Amino acid sequence: MLDIKFIRENKDIVAAGAKKKRIEIDLDRLIELDDKRKELQAMIDEKRAEQNNASNAIASAKDAAEKQKLIERMSEVKKTLQMEEESLVEIMKEWRNLMVRVPNVPDVSVPEGESDADNQEIRTWGDIPKFAFEPKSHVELLLVHDMADYERGAKVAGFRGYFLKNDGARLVWALERFVIERFQNRDGFSPLIVPSLVRKEPFVGTGYLPQSEDDLYKTQDGDYLAGTAEVATMGYFMDEIIEKKDLPLKFFAFSPCFRREAGSHGKDTKGIFRIHEFVKYEQVVLCEANHEESVKHHEELTENSEKLLQELNLPYRVVLNCGGDIGLGQVKKYDVEAWMPSEKRYRETHSSSYFHDFQTRRLNIRYRDADGQLKFVHSLNNTALAMPRILTQIVENYQQEDGSIAVPEVLRGYIGKDVIRKEQSS
């Protein structure tokens, strides 16, 4: 959430940012409501002060007539005060509703564009594999090697349901051990296992509500299932003041994740690329309120993800997301996309974003600066590794002409084999 003072003083900049993000917001109405809010609040404060003064006057009134006159006057003030307070409640509802919908201002480096088709390629790594045969899709490869069961997955869990089995399960476990060990050696990252079932407030704070409610699973008690560990991790310090000496705070957070994929009808309906239930390790950073600090950590988080893909020897590219393909709160976002041979294109494996104080202002996460001033910290996040999606790129890039699947070298010690062959599955 942006500061209303910033919005008022920089209305044209905020409006241009909203336009770049393709988000419609009525800033004139918001400022009009803010004027009414301030005017009403001043009137209410004045009447409350009048009430307090009158209470003292009534207590010290010299005769009954004077006391009665003061009581009648205060009765009228009380009625007017009640009406003004009710009006303020209604105005605040609309004011808050608009405030949480005002998008953050994107960085000047964010390109114009409507969708992911307009994202700009920043760099590539690795050689795209050249096959002497027509490469199979992960959908087929996992079935051939008895690594997944989609039919029984749909029978048990419905559309986009799946079972991973045999070497499919072993590969996921190997990947988990791989990513955990790598982040044990990453400077300053604290491991964290976080809840997936989360109250509404952290979703509003991180910007997933109200904008993305259609893509969230909601319980009968009004809580939600998170699609990323970012939500609970950011909620960890909600309404707290952090010691400056403890910044930056870096977390390597794990949670099961759930997404309805409400806006993905007809996309990736087969296999395990786009599913409702998965697990994910997330990088989350809280740092000082400084743009250069945010940029530094943003590049570091992105580099961490790239190093994992390099160790897995998966060819990938990094793209800078355009205005129409970044969320409400992001200042800047990179997507990291690994090559998908069956589709002859790159597909997303990681998203790396920074928000300045957009999330922490909503969540009320602050620190005390050297001069004693309270400031909202800056926040960042990036995927470490999401599973089982990464299996799709691994099995496709490592498939062999004889139908087998080579195991990435860094995973062989965890899975106990170099090659996955049909007859070796059990």
Side-chain angles (χ1 to χ4, degrees), residues 373-391:
Q373 182 182 359
L374 284 173
K375 293 184 177 180
F376 293 99
V377 300
H378 281 191
S379 67
L380 308 92
N381 65 68
N382 181 19
T383 319
L385 209 60
M387 290 158 283
R389 174 177 287 195
I390 195 70
L391 286 189

Side-chain angles (χ1 to χ4, degrees), residues 155-289:
K155 178 178 70 174
V156 171
F159 181 53
R160 300 190 191 275
Y162 65 96
F163 282 94
L164 288 179
K165 52 192 295 196
N166 303 319
D167 286 331
R170 294 186 188 104
L171 265 179
V172 167
W173 294 332
L175 284 161
E176 291 203 63
R177 293 172 66 187
F178 161 72
V179 72
I180 289 169
E181 286 191 5
R182 294 311 181 269
F183 271 86
Q184 283 178 342
N185 299 320
R186 289 277 190 271
D187 182 42
F189 278 88
S190 299
L192 199 64
I193 297 176
V194 307
S196 299
L197 182 62
V198 182
R199 296 170 60 193
K200 183 177 181 178
E201 290 81 1
F203 281 97
V204 174
T206 48
Y208 288 96
L209 287 176
Q211 286 74 20
S212 302
E213 185 159 12
D214 288 345
D215 204 31
L216 298 174
Y217 287 104
K218 187 175 182 179
T219 73
Q220 64 268 38
D221 299 318
D223 300 321
Y224 295 84
L225 293 174
T228 169
E230 168 200 349
V231 179
T233 306
M234 288 299 301
Y236 188 81
F237 285 105
M238 185 168 58
D239 295 321
E240 293 188 27
I241 296 174
I242 298 169
E243 295 291 333
K244 183 184 177 183
K245 64 180 177 60
D246 294 331
L247 296 175
L249 289 166
K250 301 180 181 181
F251 297 100
F252 173 62
F254 168 83
S255 76
C257 300
F258 304 86
R259 291 182 184 172
R260 292 184 61 214
E261 296 290 354
S264 304
H265 179 73
K267 294 181 181 178
D268 304 302
T269 56
K270 296 181 179 180
I272 57 169
F273 188 85
R274 193 181 301 276
I275 48 184
H276 293 312
E277 182 178 357
F278 53 100
V279 297
K280 188 157 68 125
Y281 291 87
E282 188 82 4
Q283 305 173 73
V284 177
V285 173
L286 299 176
C287 69
E288 290 183 42

Side-chain angles (χ1 to χ4, degrees), residues 17-32:
K19 184 179 179 182
K20 194 172 194 178
K21 287 188 172 185
R22 276 54 176 179
I23 293 173
E24 293 186 8
I25 184 72
D26 191 343
L27 295 178
D28 289 329
R29 176 59 178 164
L30 175 59
I31 291 172
E32 178 188 346

Side-chain angles (χ1 to χ4, degrees), residues 8 30-40 95:
R8 295 181 69 100
L30 175 59
I31 291 172
E32 178 188 346
L33 286 168
D34 195 51
D35 288 337
K36 290 181 179 178
R37 175 186 70 86
K38 290 194 289 186
E39 181 183 352
L40 267 174
W95 183 86

Side-chain angles (χ1 to χ4, degrees), residues 167 400 402 404-407 412 417-421 424:
D167 286 331
Q400 309 295 303
D402 65 359
S404 64
I405 301 169
V407 176
R412 291 174 185 174
K417 61 177 70 175
D418 296 349
V419 180
I420 294 172
R421 301 184 190 278
Q424 289 183 320

Side-chain angles (χ1 to χ4, degrees), residues 99 364 366:
M99 279 293 290
N364 192 31
R366 298 173 293 171

